[in-house]
Amino acid sequence: MSIARQVLNCSRFTCRSAHVTCRKTFTTSQHVMMSRHTHAKRIEGLDKNVWVAFTALAADPSVVNLGQGFPDIPPPSYVKEALAKAASVDRMNQYTRGFGHPSLVKALSQVYGKAYGRQIDPLKEILVTVGGYGSLFSAIQALVEEGDEVIIIEPFFDCYVPMVRMAGGKPVLIPLRLDVSRCHADWFLDPDELAGKFNSKTKAIIINTPNNPIGKVFTKDELQMIADLCIKHDTLCFSDEVYEWLVYRGHQHVKIATLPGMWDRTVTIGSAGKTFSVTGWKLGWSIGPEQLMKHLQTVMQNSLYTCPTPLQEAVAQGLLLNYELMDQPECYFTSLADELEGKRDRLADIVEEAGMTPVIPEGGYFMLVDVTALNQDLSHMDEDEAYDYKFVKWMIKEKKLAAIPVTAFVGEESTKDFEKYIRLCFIKQDSTLDAARSILKSWTKV
Amino acid sequence: MGIIRNIAASLVLLRQSSVKNNHKVIMSRRLHARRTDGVDKNVWVEFTQLAADYKAVNLGQGFPDFSPPQFIQEAFCKAINGGPQMHQYTRAFGHPPLVKSLAKFFSRIVVQDIDPLEDILVTVGAYQALFCAFQGLIDEGDEVIIIEPFFDCYQPMVVMAGGKAVYVPLRPREGSAILSSGDWVLSADELASKITPRTKAIVINTPNNPLGKVYKTEELQMIADLCIKHNLLCFSDEVYEWLTYDGAKHIKIASLPGMWERTVTVGSAGKTFSATGWKVGWAIGSGNIIKYMKTIHQNSVYHCATAAQEAVAHGFEREYELFGTPESYFQQLPTMLHHKRKKLASCLESVGLQPIMPEGGYFMVTDISSVKVDLNDLSTKDELYDFRFVKWLIKEKGLATIPVSAFYSPEHSKEFDKYIRFCFVKEDSTLDAAEAILRKWSQKE
């Protein structure tokens, strides 16, 4: 302590005499000073992030980017027009209601009232957040703490685990398993294995349907199994449904909150970014019963208070427009799914042509690809990393094609089951998919 | 063993049936996380609602009722109509054009090479920058010194981070009449006495909300000396940095020797460009500290909206070129507000109220102790005087303001319950309407 003080006193004295010397002296004493400036314990071990690493790698414009999940197709023009219009109104450039811009929460109440088959109170049962991400954060911060366990299904959108840990909770992982016995391979949750993960400490289970990265759309029976366990063990359910409108033929999106006994214990998360192909707007929402939502609102009012106004107004307009068109082909929720189904099939063909095995997604805009058949030798790369990490890094560098390694979405124990997969995003222009095709074609020719 | 299992089974059955019969019965154990305890009340939620309900002339919440400047609106329009990438994710810690223009702009001011990628974090308003600072740097049991009166969010943010708030009030100087925010001062001894081995940080706000105090170099140096002596962090909320009046000069504590490496300086595009609804803010500081805030950011919101950041980047490019000239918005806005501040002050004085002239910021605090009214509203009888007064003023006179004790700690609020806060960043027509209400009221007396 006294040595530190001596160094500090020394540096202060030097500082007074010469500003230049000051800087240099501080570099030495900085070390001593900084040792007190430790970060809060809550962020321990949470600084790594797959996106920060791989987005930088894929940023090279010569790389064909099927990695990070954002469209390179334009959003519907009416949504951009609505934003331009909102921005031209004085009042729309100033603060709006903290828990959600009135016209937006009303529109959400309308659209989801229909989807849920119940009256949703726009003021008490809805919270507008900074993306689906912000909703996950608000829910976890509001309802998870030290001593709580949270069940997370692998593969999971990578933020679930660090968010639960930051809230002091303990992530309990359970993998989706591949059943190859059926003619069409299926990913499923083993009921006994799942039941075994629930105990008296289980505070919540996080589900994601349609799932990122696999694209699984949970069936009603599967959701009922989860619901039965939630009710039996009195746990909450955080249902990440950001890809809810992107469900392909033969499948149906089911909201777990609509199953008996589930409304009161579920927070359902949605995203304007995914709904309207405007990920850069970062608007999302949580919907649930007042007794849960009020705590999310408390987190909101103590973290960022309110979301941007003109963006919320524009999303409200977009929702109202599509509400009128619901179930019709012109409805963006339908037309986007149609468009993406075509792209999904196109990418699957491209991948198969190249000798790899696609996992055909039932929903969402990602496709898992099994790269085993390529037999790519990566022994020259860092031994510590999982195969898929090495593969993707190699592929970006050597082939100028970006993907995301799937083990980023699983815990350590499941790494060996998932490291043969990479994730490709197909909400891309046909030209982008064509460019990917060229790369893959020339690759296998070698 | 068998009996226990039977009992356990029946309990599960009982709970199951009670859930089936009454879906509202969930979570026989604790539902919400402890971090949300005691931070659910919020003065804005309450008073914004009241002002709306009574359609009051709103000099309460701090936002302009005039438009942002033309050039920034055009920049936003341009961004909206820019390529598809304007509507998709940008860099998580800040859109590259924005962090570059912020680094360039502020490097010139603090005379420090600010690294755009390491030393800047763009956030959803200055509010989220503060949140990241508290969450990233304050741990259970850490003490944080807050200077009163304070923007109300500092206290719940400290609490939510597990910290303990320690308060030091600005006090009116002994003797002379208190005519200006400059007459409210911090006692060096009192401040020093609040520092303990557990003190982690001090939060300062200059220009201050609600008083409008603009800390002078000597005052900041006093605080800096203590920060250096006790190895404290400094969170400096400077959202109103361009709004200083009567020659008062805004000084950045981070520019004082020994302070760059321990200070997080928070800024706001909303206040800078009169576009509070855009919610774009930033934290600037040494990369060693900003990196912890980045971890919070990447695990809470991750990205901020792209188009607004693009527009703000253009705003700063423009201001960089025009800095110090009459065309600079950073000159024009304070000039415009200077006149409004004077207008509101005269209006308050003419009806017998005593405004404290703010040296900076959006707000004017007024002493209401000389006003005699019968606050006969039973619903507010247990509240502090200024809360009751403000509610009465909204309901009976249709004029919305904010009670200043909301900006004080529970232990000191009773000492400061005779002040209300007016926002003067409003169209002249709004100020005129407020004036009409006040005149009418004073004539009746």
Side-chain angles (χ1 to χ4, degrees):
Chain A
M1 185 74 131
S2 56
I3 298 170
R5 195 158 289 156
Q6 274 176 13
V7 175
L8 279 169
N9 287 337
C10 262
S11 57
R12 247 173 65 212
F13 174 77
T14 325
C15 194
R16 283 205 185 103
S17 46
H19 191 79
V20 174
T21 329
C22 186
R23 280 262 159 87
K24 246 172 76 181
T25 318
F26 271 120
T27 325
T28 346
S29 63
Q30 216 170 334
H31 225 56
V32 179
M33 284 202 298
M34 289 305 122
S35 64
R36 249 217 79 200
H37 292 172
T38 48
H39 52 270
K41 289 187 197 61
R42 65 181 60 83
I43 58 172
E44 198 64 51
L46 302 185
D47 48 320
K48 296 270 172 293
N49 181 285
V50 67
W51 309 109
V52 174
F54 283 91
T55 318
L57 277 179
D60 176 352
S62 65
V63 170
V64 175
N65 195 353
L66 299 193
Q68 195 183 4
F70 63 86
D72 66 3
I73 60 178
S77 56
Y78 56 79
V79 131
K80 284 195 293 179
E81 279 154 23
L83 179 56
K85 189 156 163 246
S88 69
V89 176
D90 282 357
R91 190 62 190 85
M92 294 290 157
N93 288 294
Q94 308 303 337
Y95 292 132
T96 183
R97 178 177 167 267
F99 305 139
H101 186 52
S103 61
L104 177 55
V105 294
K106 286 193 188 103
L108 287 167
S109 160
Q110 257 192 304
V111 168
Y112 285 102
K114 190 167 175 190
Y116 282 78
R118 70 180 288 142
Q119 289 260 52
I120 298 178
D121 184 322
L123 304 183
K124 299 200 173 122
E125 296 177 331
I126 299 179
L127 175 67
V128 175
T129 55
V130 177
Y133 215 95
S135 272
L136 286 161
F137 178 73
S138 300
I140 291 169
Q141 283 284 309
L143 301 164
V144 174
E145 60 182 349
E146 196 87 33
D148 289 339
E149 290 185 8
V150 178
I151 298 174
I152 296 172
I153 300 168
E154 298 173 299
F156 50 87
F157 180 54
D158 71 299
C159 79
Y160 302 162
V161 163
M163 282 190 183
V164 166
R165 285 176 54 199
M166 202 166 114
K170 179 180 165 210
V172 170
L173 306 179
I174 175 172
L176 282 168
R177 295 190 184 283
L178 188 56
D179 178 3
V180 292
S181 62
R182 311 177 203 185
C183 59
H184 158 65
D186 205 7
W187 293 83
F188 72 103
L189 269 180
D190 181 310
D192 291 330
E193 191 178 5
L194 180 61
K197 301 288 182 181
F198 279 79
N199 60 48
S200 59
K201 292 205 186 83
T202 310
K203 189 72 180 280
I205 177 170
I206 302 179
I207 67 170
N208 175 215
T209 178
N211 166 278
N212 172 9
I214 291 186
K216 176 183 172 62
V217 173
F218 284 70
T219 63
K220 189 159 182 217
D221 288 339
E222 288 171 315
L223 294 174
Q224 188 62 64
M225 168 187 60
I226 296 171
D228 289 342
L229 285 163
C230 284
I231 292 168
K232 177 176 176 183
H233 295 273
D234 198 16
T235 58
L236 299 172
C237 178
F238 302 155
S239 185
D240 176 352
E241 301 181 14
V242 296
Y243 300 105
E244 59 185 306
W245 308 111
L246 304 179
V247 172
Y248 306 122
R249 258 178 283 261
H251 304 279
Q252 211 205 357
H253 176 69
V254 177
K255 288 182 163 304
I256 196 170
T258 57
L259 301 182
M262 290 306 286
W263 167 258
D264 290 307
R265 60 182 69 253
T266 306
V267 175
T268 306
I269 291 159
S271 156
K274 307 291 193 259
T275 297
F276 289 112
S277 308
V278 285
T279 61
W281 287 27
K282 288 294 296 191
L283 277 179
W285 43 82
S286 298
I287 297 179
E290 187 184 351
Q291 75 257 22
L292 296 182
M293 293 309 298
K294 70 183 181 194
H295 302 301
L296 276 74
Q297 289 178 342
T298 299
V299 172
M300 180 68 175
Q301 100 196 6
N302 290 302
S303 56
L304 48 104
Y305 200 81
T306 176
C307 291
T309 316
L311 295 171
Q312 293 190 68
E313 176 65 26
V315 173
Q317 297 305 321
L319 286 170
L320 289 173
L321 196 152
N322 283 289
Y323 177 73
E324 298 303 321
L325 298 170
M326 250 336 198
D327 301 325
Q328 291 171 47
E330 297 83 40
C331 176
Y332 190 67
F333 309 158
T334 315
S335 67
L336 182 60
D338 284 342
E339 187 182 352
L340 287 181
E341 190 162 345
K343 291 181 191 287
R344 174 195 75 169
D345 296 341
R346 196 195 174 96
L347 184 62
D349 287 342
I350 292 172
V351 162
E352 276 170 344
E353 256 179 42
M356 295 185 277
T357 316
V359 173
I360 309 293
E362 301 161 339
Y365 46 65
F366 303 106
M367 178 179 289
L368 242 50
V369 175
D370 183 339
V371 302
T372 315
L374 285 184
N375 222 354
Q376 189 62 46
D377 177 18
L378 299 172
S379 51
H380 59 285
M381 293 182 75
D382 180 5
E383 272 200 32
D384 276 343
E385 281 193 323
Y387 184 82
D388 57 343
Y389 267 74
K390 292 196 279 210
F391 187 93
V392 168
K393 284 184 177 168
W394 170 86
M395 188 171 75
I396 294 176
K397 186 161 176 243
E398 301 300 329
K399 302 294 174 189
K400 302 287 187 193
L401 177 62
I404 295 288
V406 172
T407 57
F409 301 89
V410 305
E412 250 193 74
E413 281 172 30
S414 297
T415 299
K416 54 181 176 3
D417 297 321
F418 287 92
E419 62 179 334
K420 56 185 176 173
Y421 295 108
I422 62 173
R423 186 195 82 168
L424 296 178
C425 173
F426 55 87
I427 185 165
K428 303 289 178 186
Q429 305 219 34
D430 285 347
S431 54
T432 311
L433 297 176
D434 286 339
R437 181 164 187 258
S438 307
I439 289 172
L440 289 168
K441 264 190 120 164
S442 64
W443 180 352
T444 52
K445 281 210 177 103
V446 172
Chain B
M1 190 65 132
I3 299 171
I4 293 171
R5 200 174 281 161
N6 280 336
I7 294 174
S10 3
L11 276 174
V12 168
L13 273 171
L14 259 172
R15 205 154 57 157
Q16 252 177 313
S17 65
S18 74
V19 165
K20 281 193 182 120
N21 295 334
N22 176 6
H23 289 166
K24 298 237 184 304
V25 179
I26 60 160
M27 289 286 129
S28 49
R29 65 172 186 281
R30 188 190 169 82
L31 185 61
H32 57 276
R34 260 164 281 260
R35 69 178 63 82
T36 62
D37 274 340
V39 296
D40 49 321
K41 294 269 171 296
N42 184 282
V43 66
W44 309 109
V45 174
E46 192 182 3
F47 283 92
T48 318
Q49 192 59 57
L50 258 186
D53 290 344
Y54 285 85
K55 299 196 183 6
V57 171
N58 198 349
L59 301 194
Q61 196 182 2
F63 60 85
D65 64 2
F66 48 80
S67 63
Q70 181 90 338
F71 69 84
I72 204 87
Q73 286 193 295
E74 276 165 14
F76 195 28
C77 244
K78 189 158 165 247
I80 293 168
N81 293 309
Q85 69 275 18
M86 282 293 122
H87 299 281
Q88 308 305 334
Y89 294 130
T90 182
R91 177 177 167 269
F93 304 134
H95 186 52
L98 178 55
V99 295
K100 286 192 187 111
S101 67
L102 286 170
K104 192 168 111 174
F105 188 93
F106 286 104
S107 287
R108 198 165 63 173
I109 301 201
V110 296
V111 192
Q112 167 86 31
D113 261 318
I114 299 175
D115 184 314
L117 302 183
E118 300 301 316
D119 301 340
I120 301 181
L121 173 65
V122 174
T123 54
V124 180
Y127 213 97
Q128 197 226 335
L130 289 162
F131 180 73
C132 289
F134 288 112
Q135 286 284 312
L137 298 160
I138 304 301
D139 239 331
E140 197 83 34
D142 283 345
E143 291 181 8
V144 178
I145 296 179
I146 297 176
I147 299 172
E148 303 180 286
F150 55 92
F151 179 53
D152 70 301
C153 81
Y154 305 159
Q155 182 259 346
M157 284 190 183
V158 168
V159 168
M160 203 168 131
K164 177 175 172 227
V166 172
Y167 302 96
V168 185
L170 285 164
R171 296 180 190 284
R173 220 196 292 269
E174 293 279 333
S176 57
I178 303 309
L179 299 171
S180 151
S181 59
D183 297 319
W184 287 67
V185 293
L186 204 54
S187 151
D189 289 338
E190 192 174 5
L191 177 57
S193 74
K194 300 286 183 169
I195 298 173
T196 76
R198 299 278 0 221
T199 310
K200 186 85 184 275
I202 177 168
V203 186
I204 67 169
N205 174 217
T206 179
N208 167 277
N209 172 7
L211 266 183
K213 179 180 176 62
V214 173
Y215 287 67
K216 300 183 181 47
T217 307
E218 317 79 87
E219 293 173 306
L220 293 175
Q221 190 61 64
M222 185 265 287
I223 295 170
D225 288 344
L226 285 166
C227 284
I228 292 167
K229 178 175 178 184
H230 297 276
N231 200 11
L232 307 179
L233 293 170
C234 179
F235 300 162
S236 185
D237 176 353
E238 300 182 13
V239 296
Y240 301 106
E241 57 187 307
W242 306 112
L243 304 180
T244 56
Y245 314 113
D246 289 337
K249 220 175 159 266
H250 173 72
I251 310 288
K252 287 181 164 303
I253 197 171
S255 63
L256 299 182
M259 290 304 287
W260 167 255
E261 43 265 58
R262 61 180 71 254
T263 306
V264 174
T265 304
V266 167
S268 157
K271 306 291 194 273
T272 295
F273 293 113
S274 308
T276 60
W278 290 18
K279 290 291 289 185
V280 175
W282 50 82
I284 299 180
S286 160
N288 285 323
I289 299 184
I290 297 292
K291 71 184 181 193
Y292 300 131
M293 294 173 56
K294 283 177 173 173
T295 302
I296 296 290
H297 183 77
Q298 95 196 16
N299 288 301
S300 57
V301 306
Y302 196 28
H303 300 88
C304 300
T306 313
Q309 291 190 65
E310 175 78 11
V312 174
H314 282 288
F316 272 99
E317 287 294 322
R318 175 197 194 264
E319 289 301 312
Y320 183 83
E321 299 304 324
L322 296 173
F323 194 64
T325 72
E327 286 79 44
S328 158
Y329 189 65
F330 300 167
Q331 298 264 43
Q332 293 173 340
L333 182 60
T335 306
M336 171 174 62
L337 294 184
H338 196 277
H339 142 78
K340 292 180 190 289
R341 160 193 180 257
K342 200 158 141 222
K343 186 181 167 77
L344 179 64
S346 338
C347 152
L348 292 171
E349 277 157 358
S350 70
V351 298
L353 290 169
Q354 290 96 45
I356 299 165
M357 279 310 258
E359 298 157 287
Y362 268 15
F363 308 105
M364 182 177 291
V365 168
T366 301
D367 188 334
I368 52 166
S369 44
S370 63
V371 180
K372 301 281 176 282
V373 284
D374 183 9
L375 302 176
N376 51 13
D377 187 346
L378 284 173
S379 70
T380 65
K381 71 173 170 59
D382 290 327
E383 295 178 358
L384 286 173
Y385 184 80
D386 58 344
F387 269 71
R388 305 186 66 204
F389 184 90
V390 166
K391 287 183 180 177
W392 175 87
L393 196 60
I394 293 175
K395 292 176 183 171
E396 301 301 325
K397 300 293 171 191
L399 178 60
T401 59
I402 298 289
V404 170
S405 65
F407 302 91
Y408 277 89
S409 60
E411 46 255 55
H412 295 136
S413 53
K414 280 187 208 52
E415 282 175 59
F416 297 96
D417 69 342
K418 299 291 192 302
Y419 300 97
I420 64 176
R421 185 195 83 168
F422 289 83
C423 174
F424 54 86
V425 183
K426 303 288 177 188
E427 293 268 37
D428 281 354
S429 54
T430 313
L431 297 174
D432 288 338
E435 187 172 7
I437 290 172
L438 291 166
R439 282 208 191 291
K440 198 163 148 212
W441 175 19
S442 71
Q443 271 150 23
K444 282 207 180 118
E445 314 240 301

